Amino acid sequence: MKKITCILTTAILLINNYAFSQVAKVYICLNGTISFFSETPVENIDATSLTLNCILNTSTNEINYLVDIASFKFKKPLMQEHFNEKYMESDKYPRATFKGKINEQIDWSKDGVYPITATGNLNIHNVEKPYTEKGTLTIKDGQFTFEGSFNVKTADHDIEVPTIVITNIAEVINVKHKCTLVPYIPKK
């Protein structure tokens, strides 16, 4: 029940952040996938969250992503504990967000696969940085699927890695995401 409440609250917050006009076309995803991978000679670290939220306004090409940091699951429970408590401080900084805009002009009514870029601000660990992300948009039968990947430098977001484990965690983390958006229909 707590998870459903969290998802609904997140969706409401995302939707309320938009000023909707009558011509706005809004699409949402509440169960996208986001994962990251850190590769070092000592060990590899990977984690996945199945609760990536996304909202898209096709009238403006604005796109926002939100993920709860604590929703990432690791193969090793101790890694998950260290990730949340020592590195990401998820109690203090519970979410990561991306607020941006798709740069290409898209015919949202035409099925196909399109390379896209989105430019905006990524906020992780309460540090906001500009990013341009490359990805793929697939349009099929009125649904939009976004897939992309980008690299995040831990130092860019003030994520401190103690020197004792510096060789265990990559300086640059690869992040991948995928979400399928459907039309948002407000309840009356």
Side-chain angles (χ1 to χ4, degrees):
M1 184 66 181
K2 182 179 178 184
K3 184 176 180 180
I4 292 171
T5 303
C6 180
I7 290 171
L8 291 174
T9 302
T10 301
I12 291 167
L13 289 172
L14 284 170
I15 291 165
N16 285 339
N17 283 335
Y18 275 94
F20 294 110
S21 69
Q22 289 182 323
V23 296
K25 304 242 182 190
V26 178
Y27 295 78
I28 63 170
C29 173
L30 301 177
N31 58 352
T33 302
I34 185 166
S35 62
F36 65 83
F37 183 72
S38 163
E39 181 177 19
T40 68
V42 176
E43 69 181 327
N44 294 335
I45 301 169
D46 61 335
T48 301
S49 170
L50 302 176
T51 61
L52 176 65
N53 294 286
C54 181
I55 187 166
L56 167 71
N57 182 326
T58 59
S59 295
T60 62
N61 277 7
E62 291 177 87
I63 189 162
N64 288 353
Y65 290 94
L66 180 143
V67 66
D68 287 323
I69 298 300
S71 70
F72 283 97
K73 301 299 179 207
F74 292 71
K75 292 176 184 165
K76 297 179 181 176
L78 188 58
M79 282 185 180
Q80 187 166 327
E81 181 181 325
H82 288 172
F83 171 79
N84 283 298
E85 292 177 6
K86 295 182 180 183
Y87 307 116
M88 296 301 289
E89 302 172 277
S90 60
D91 285 342
K92 190 175 180 182
Y93 310 112
R95 292 176 188 84
T97 61
F98 176 82
K99 295 179 182 182
K101 193 169 186 174
I102 296 170
N103 298 314
E104 292 75 20
Q105 294 300 314
I106 305 291
D107 181 348
W108 297 100
S109 64
K110 186 176 178 183
D111 285 1
V113 178
Y114 307 94
I116 60 168
T117 56
T119 302
N121 290 311
L122 179 66
N123 188 317
I124 299 174
H125 205 243
N126 206 35
V127 176
E128 192 168 274
K129 294 282 185 181
Y131 275 76
T132 297
E133 173 193 344
K134 292 181 181 179
T136 302
L137 163 66
T138 302
I139 300 175
K140 184 170 172 124
D141 300 327
Q143 289 188 345
F144 311 132
T145 300
F146 289 105
E147 292 184 70
S149 69
F150 56 96
N151 292 321
V152 176
K153 290 183 179 180
T154 56
D156 283 353
H157 293 277
D158 294 341
I159 300 167
E160 294 181 20
V161 179
T163 52
I164 195 164
V165 293
I166 198 93
T167 57
N168 295 36
I169 300 171
E171 292 178 32
V172 177
I173 309 295
N174 180 257
V175 179
K176 293 182 180 181
H177 66 84
K178 180 178 181 178
C179 59
T180 299
L181 295 95
V182 296
Y184 170 70
I185 301 170
K187 293 184 180 180
K188 294 184 181 196

